Amino acid sequence: AAVQVLGILHEANAGAAEPLPFHAFYNDAINQELAANDEYLREDFRRWQVRDGFSLCDYAFTLDASSKQLVLKLDAYSQMEQEFQSAMLRSIFTMSMQSPFLVLRVRRDHLIRDTLHQLASRTSDLKRPLKVHIVGEEGVDEGGVQKEFFQLITRELFDPDYGMWLQDERSGTFWFNQASLESAREFEMIGLLLGIAIYNGVILDVRFPHVVYKKLVGSPCDFADFEEAFPDVARGLRQLLEHTGDVSELALTFSVTYEMYGERKVAELHPGGAEKAVTRANRDDYVRRYVDHALNESVAKQFNNFALGFHRVCGGAALELFRWQELELLVCGSPDFDFEALERGAVYEDGYTRDSETIKLFWQVVHGLEAHLKRKVLIFTTGSDRVPIRGLSNLRFVISRNGSDEARLPSAHTCFNHLLLPEYKTAETLEARLLTAINDTEGFHIV
């Protein structure tokens, strides 16, 4: 009953002149209970799926992004389990061995080509658990290999030289390149990879403007979204709207000029727009059409294929629970880079305790590192520098004693967020060995 009352308040808030922020309706008691009681969440999710009585999922505004992620994972595991069982049954009845996993066998020097080919040929396997094998390398994928795979392939796909994306100099975010010569399949593949990463619990280092997530969940976009994505252009449009002089003297028309590989192109904002001057009377309409063209029309082909790939994997009912802000958290993780929280939640094994001298030295060194080196520590120990939705306090981070040889470097089982740390006696030695290790991490190796 209390939740139903909150539902009435939430609905009233949506129509308020100055509504409360959506996170004001998160209910800490509910979210703590769901985090602690897996069986209750499973039963609530089951009721929601079959529409059998009351379910908290029908009041998703009370659930924070962490709880919704748990629901999405239940949905993912349910679908993965179905795919797993189907694959095993097909293997039995056809007397052929079919892998119950989505296995990608890729070459390090041909990541994009190999991934594109295999995803295109295994469209029915996309919701199976992912396993990545790098040809010629010996890493066994228990989670760490796939994390580094995603890190490397997103780095290649978002490389400016690849030509699929444009990066805004001020915001640092990536936007679809309308002049890209890459086929629709490449943009669909990026959408697929985003979805596959979510289904397998991998957080990605992708920097999209907010509008990408709004478009994925079907939320309307406005000038504020354009401003966040393209701050310099937006500033010019604001100056146009505030201009007190004769707007016609600016010689603007209802068209957009852009360059495609050295050739000047003109896109009209409506039929005959190149001949229609922008005036004080129609400048609001010009700005509206300009923003719509930039966010929608100009990149419709690229975005539609990207969204097609994403929704082929993540288009289930559970995704509908997410606001665009929560979807961004799901893809990119939390922005809260709190190493104090990581230390508080750390677990120690094989002779180490929180009070061990080497452990004290380790945290002293880590807390003193610059931000980019802290990120490298995360990559070295977990395979990713992304932070879980609940923050680093929710990351199970294990440090084990690995002998007393101070000449030996630290090593890690990234699949299990497990650091193997020799018993160094001084902070100087520990820092030197740690920096050497974290600056030489790329490659799918067995520790």
Side-chain angles (χ1 to χ4, degrees), residues 29 55 106 174 244 273 333 369 384 393:
S55 169
V106 295
F174 288 92
T244 57
L369 295 176
S384 171
S393 62

Side-chain angles (χ1 to χ4, degrees), residues 37-257:
N37 193 333
D38 184 62
E39 286 303 315
Y40 180 85
L41 179 61
R42 288 180 182 276
E43 176 58 23
D44 188 85
F45 178 64
R46 184 199 65 79
R47 290 197 303 268
W48 181 62
Q49 280 187 309
V50 300
R51 315 307 299 173
D52 179 21
F54 174 83
S55 169
L56 287 170
C57 293
D58 287 320
Y59 300 88
F61 58 85
T62 64
L63 308 181
D64 62 20
S66 299
S67 293
K68 291 177 182 177
Q69 184 187 39
L70 294 175
V71 175
L72 190 70
K73 284 186 176 182
L74 281 178
D75 190 23
Y77 292 153
S78 174
Q79 295 186 52
M80 284 181 179
E81 186 176 20
Q82 292 174 16
E83 290 290 345
F84 189 98
Q85 292 174 349
S86 296
M88 294 300 293
L89 286 174
R90 285 195 294 271
S91 297
I92 293 172
F93 288 115
T94 62
M95 301 299 290
S96 62
M97 290 300 297
Q98 290 187 332
S99 173
F101 301 98
L102 169 60
V103 181
L104 297 181
R105 293 181 174 86
V106 295
R107 295 165 291 176
R108 177 176 289 277
D109 296 334
H110 300 87
L111 280 179
I112 295 177
R113 182 192 306 172
D114 292 351
T115 303
L116 179 64
H117 173 73
Q118 291 181 55
L119 289 179
S121 63
R122 301 195 63 184
T123 56
S124 62
D125 301 340
L126 299 176
K127 292 184 179 180
R128 295 183 187 178
L130 176 67
K131 295 287 185 182
V132 177
H133 174 70
I134 304 300
V135 176
E137 299 188 18
E138 54 188 4
V140 176
D141 191 6
E142 295 295 339
V145 178
Q146 64 178 244
K147 281 191 280 189
E148 188 172 1
F149 162 75
F150 278 112
Q151 185 180 56
L152 295 177
I153 197 167
T154 52
R155 184 192 305 169
E156 286 194 29
L157 288 168
F158 286 89
D159 188 321
D161 292 337
Y162 200 64
M164 294 182 69
W165 306 91
L166 300 175
Q167 187 173 25
D168 185 84
E169 292 183 0
R170 282 194 60 197
S171 67
T173 57
F174 288 92
W175 186 248
F176 305 89
N177 183 2
Q178 63 175 313
S180 174
L181 295 178
E182 301 303 322
S183 70
R185 293 175 61 199
E186 272 83 356
F187 284 100
E188 184 179 349
M189 180 182 74
I190 295 179
L192 286 172
L193 287 172
L194 225 65
I196 292 170
I198 287 174
Y199 262 72
N200 287 273
V202 179
I203 297 173
L204 300 178
D205 182 14
V206 293
R207 297 184 295 279
F208 290 134
H210 297 159
V211 67
V212 171
Y213 301 101
K214 294 185 77 170
K215 286 166 68 71
L216 282 173
V217 299
S219 295
C221 307
D222 55 24
F223 187 84
D225 299 309
F226 179 83
E227 192 169 31
E228 188 258 342
F230 310 104
D232 290 333
V233 180
R235 186 171 62 252
L237 292 177
R238 279 199 179 278
Q239 290 172 348
L240 169 64
L241 293 173
E242 297 167 358
H243 187 61
T244 57
D246 185 357
V247 173
S248 61
E249 291 180 351
L250 301 176
L252 295 173
T253 65
F254 275 70
S255 62
V256 178
T257 302

